[in-house]
Amino acid sequence: FLRGDEDVVVLNASPLPRLAFSLPAVPPPKCRVVLRDGRENTLSTQLDTVVVDTDDLRVTMLWRAHSAGGPHDVAAVAVTVAS
Protein backbone atom coordinates (compact mmCIF):
# COMPACT_ATOMS: atom_id res chain seq x y z
CA PHE A 1 0.00 0.00 0.00
CA LEU A 2 0.95 3.61 -0.40
CA ARG A 3 2.07 5.54 2.70
CA GLY A 4 1.20 9.04 1.57
CA ASP A 5 4.68 10.55 1.53
CA GLU A 6 5.90 9.18 -1.81
CA ASP A 7 7.54 11.32 -4.45
CA VAL A 8 5.55 11.70 -7.68
CA VAL A 9 6.83 12.68 -11.12
CA VAL A 10 4.44 13.17 -14.06
CA LEU A 11 6.06 13.54 -17.47
CA ASN A 12 4.43 14.99 -20.61
CA ALA A 13 0.86 14.76 -19.26
CA SER A 14 0.29 18.41 -18.36
CA PRO A 15 1.04 21.86 -19.77
CA LEU A 16 4.33 21.53 -17.89
CA PRO A 17 6.75 18.99 -19.34
CA ARG A 18 7.64 17.76 -15.84
CA LEU A 19 5.44 17.92 -12.77
CA ALA A 20 7.10 16.75 -9.53
CA PHE A 21 5.84 16.79 -5.95
CA SER A 22 5.54 14.65 -2.83
CA LEU A 23 2.23 13.27 -1.64
CA PRO A 24 1.19 14.82 1.66
CA ALA A 25 2.20 12.71 4.64
CA VAL A 26 -1.14 12.80 6.40
CA PRO A 27 -2.29 10.21 8.93
CA PRO A 28 -4.89 7.78 7.61
CA PRO A 29 -8.50 8.53 8.50
CA LYS A 30 -10.14 6.57 11.30
CA CYS A 31 -13.24 4.61 10.34
CA ARG A 32 -15.84 3.37 12.82
CA VAL A 33 -18.65 1.10 11.64
CA VAL A 34 -21.81 0.44 13.64
CA LEU A 35 -23.55 -2.78 12.65
CA ARG A 36 -27.32 -3.29 12.77
CA ASP A 37 -26.92 -5.69 15.71
CA GLY A 38 -25.28 -2.89 17.74
CA ARG A 39 -21.66 -4.03 17.51
CA GLU A 40 -19.08 -1.39 16.67
CA ASN A 41 -15.87 -1.98 14.76
CA THR A 42 -12.94 0.37 14.27
CA LEU A 43 -11.39 -0.34 10.88
CA SER A 44 -7.89 0.46 9.73
CA THR A 45 -7.73 2.36 6.46
CA GLN A 46 -5.15 2.04 3.71
CA LEU A 47 -4.26 4.59 1.07
CA ASP A 48 -4.84 2.71 -2.17
CA THR A 49 -5.75 5.23 -4.88
CA VAL A 50 -4.12 8.50 -5.89
CA VAL A 51 -5.58 10.54 -8.75
CA VAL A 52 -3.39 13.28 -10.24
CA ASP A 53 -5.48 15.83 -12.18
CA THR A 54 -2.89 17.63 -14.26
CA ASP A 55 -5.42 20.08 -15.73
CA ASP A 56 -6.45 21.50 -12.34
CA LEU A 57 -3.17 20.62 -10.59
CA ARG A 58 -5.10 18.67 -7.97
CA VAL A 59 -4.33 15.42 -6.17
CA THR A 60 -7.07 13.21 -4.74
CA MET A 61 -6.10 10.52 -2.25
CA LEU A 62 -8.52 7.68 -1.45
CA TRP A 63 -8.31 5.42 1.59
CA ARG A 64 -10.22 2.15 1.83
CA ALA A 65 -11.33 -0.04 4.70
CA HIS A 66 -12.88 -3.50 4.70
CA SER A 67 -15.40 -4.95 7.09
CA ALA A 68 -16.77 -8.46 7.44
CA GLY A 69 -20.39 -8.87 6.41
CA GLY A 70 -22.27 -7.11 3.70
CA PRO A 71 -23.48 -3.55 3.13
CA HIS A 72 -26.91 -4.39 4.56
CA ASP A 73 -25.29 -5.25 7.93
CA VAL A 74 -24.08 -1.65 8.41
CA ALA A 75 -26.21 0.87 10.30
CA ALA A 76 -23.74 3.79 10.36
CA VAL A 77 -20.22 4.78 9.33
CA ALA A 78 -18.17 7.55 10.94
CA VAL A 79 -14.92 8.75 9.37
CA THR A 80 -12.66 11.18 11.18
CA VAL A 81 -9.58 12.90 9.85
CA ALA A 82 -6.82 14.49 11.86
CA SER A 83 -6.67 18.25 11.34
Side-chain angles (χ1 to χ4, degrees):
F1 289 105
L2 297 165
R3 293 181 314 272
D5 60 353
E6 292 84 358
D7 293 328
V8 176
V9 177
V10 179
L11 301 173
N12 301 318
S14 75
L16 302 170
R18 184 177 190 274
L19 184 61
F21 59 93
S22 294
L23 292 177
V26 295
K30 297 189 185 307
C31 181
R32 186 174 57 89
V33 175
V34 179
L35 301 176
R36 293 202 183 277
D37 64 8
R39 290 180 294 151
E40 292 186 18
N41 294 326
T42 300
L43 307 175
S44 60
T45 58
Q46 300 289 333
L47 177 61
D48 82 343
T49 302
V50 174
V51 178
V52 179
D53 182 341
T54 58
D55 292 328
D56 291 334
L57 297 178
R58 182 182 325 205
V59 173
T60 303
M61 298 167 61
L62 175 69
W63 283 260
R64 294 193 191 267
H66 298 279
S67 176
H72 301 291
D73 298 327
V74 176
V77 176
V79 178
T80 54
V81 231
S83 53

